[in-house]
Amino acid sequence: MKQLNHFSHRHPLRLSGVQPEDQTICSGCDLDLVGPAYICTKAGCSFLLHESCFELPRRVRHKSHPKHPLVLLSSPPYSDGEFTCNACGESGHAFTFHCLTCKFDLHVECASLPETEDSDDHEHPVKLLYSFPEEEWKGGFVCDVCHCPLVKSCWFYSCSACNFCTHLECVTDQEFHFIQLIGVYLWMTQQIIDAFSMIQRTYEPAQNGYLYYLE
């Protein structure tokens, strides 16, 4: 099996596959990893990367930060070991596209967001915007999907024709609905388990075929 080197890790990596039951996190983006992955060849080392994270460019120009190039770093360049993404406002502890001049940082997945997206909750495609026009902010905006406030400093998707706005994570809310369904399923499953457990504690089959109540 061919081994390859990556700037972010000191050991050689090899292309392999990760199964859902492995419950693995990518060392580059900190997201769940299933499918093709580059895995460390050294025994006991748990470093691994999505194939897409392995292939990320070391230097990019991004429309959200046109003045300077962004450099891919394997870890945050700050003393506390984390960065705050200028796109979504969330923290990160792994790869970052970083501006050495402005201390500007992007999660690798945020840097790859499409400029237009089809929303499950809107009839028109929505466009990725990097900031709110100052004159339009006023009292703020609310996400038309989750109905929570939008953060002025974060990116968002918008349909200017309809004044429709949404968080980055809400633009396609299939995952949100999926999580809701999983939650309901787990709750119903637990109710069934609890009910059977109570029945087992309360009744016991007798040899003659009858059920007797146990104190």
Side-chain angles (χ1 to χ4, degrees), residues 83-98:
F83 68 91
T84 299
C85 177
N86 287 84
C88 66
E90 299 294 329
S91 62
H93 303 87
F95 286 9
T96 172
F97 278 112
H98 175 74

Side-chain angles (χ1 to χ4, degrees), residues 113-215:
L113 287 171
E115 292 189 14
T116 59
E117 184 69 274
D118 292 324
S119 173
D120 297 332
D121 295 271
H122 193 62
E123 58 183 324
H124 306 135
V126 289
K127 182 179 180 180
L128 179 63
L129 298 179
Y130 306 123
S131 63
F132 285 94
E134 194 65 39
E135 65 275 9
E136 295 182 15
W137 178 254
K138 298 178 182 178
F141 287 87
V142 172
C143 175
D144 288 300
V145 175
C146 70
H147 307 295
C148 293
L150 294 169
V151 179
K152 185 178 181 181
S153 60
C154 293
W155 300 359
F156 63 104
Y157 280 98
S158 173
C159 173
S160 57
C162 304
N163 293 321
F164 177 90
C165 297
T166 172
H167 292 110
L168 300 179
E169 65 271 21
C170 295
V171 66
T172 53
D173 61 347
Q174 292 177 351
E175 181 177 358
F176 174 74
H177 293 315
F178 176 73
I179 291 172
Q180 282 187 317
L181 289 172
I182 289 295
V184 171
Y185 169 79
L186 292 176
W187 179 83
M188 293 179 64
T189 301
Q190 188 60 50
Q191 300 305 305
I192 294 171
I193 292 173
D194 291 345
F196 274 108
S197 178
M198 183 179 68
I199 291 172
Q200 287 180 337
R201 290 196 304 269
T202 305
Y203 297 98
E204 182 176 273
Q207 291 183 355
N208 59 8
Y210 292 98
L211 295 176
Y212 292 88
Y213 179 74
L214 299 179
E215 295 291 348

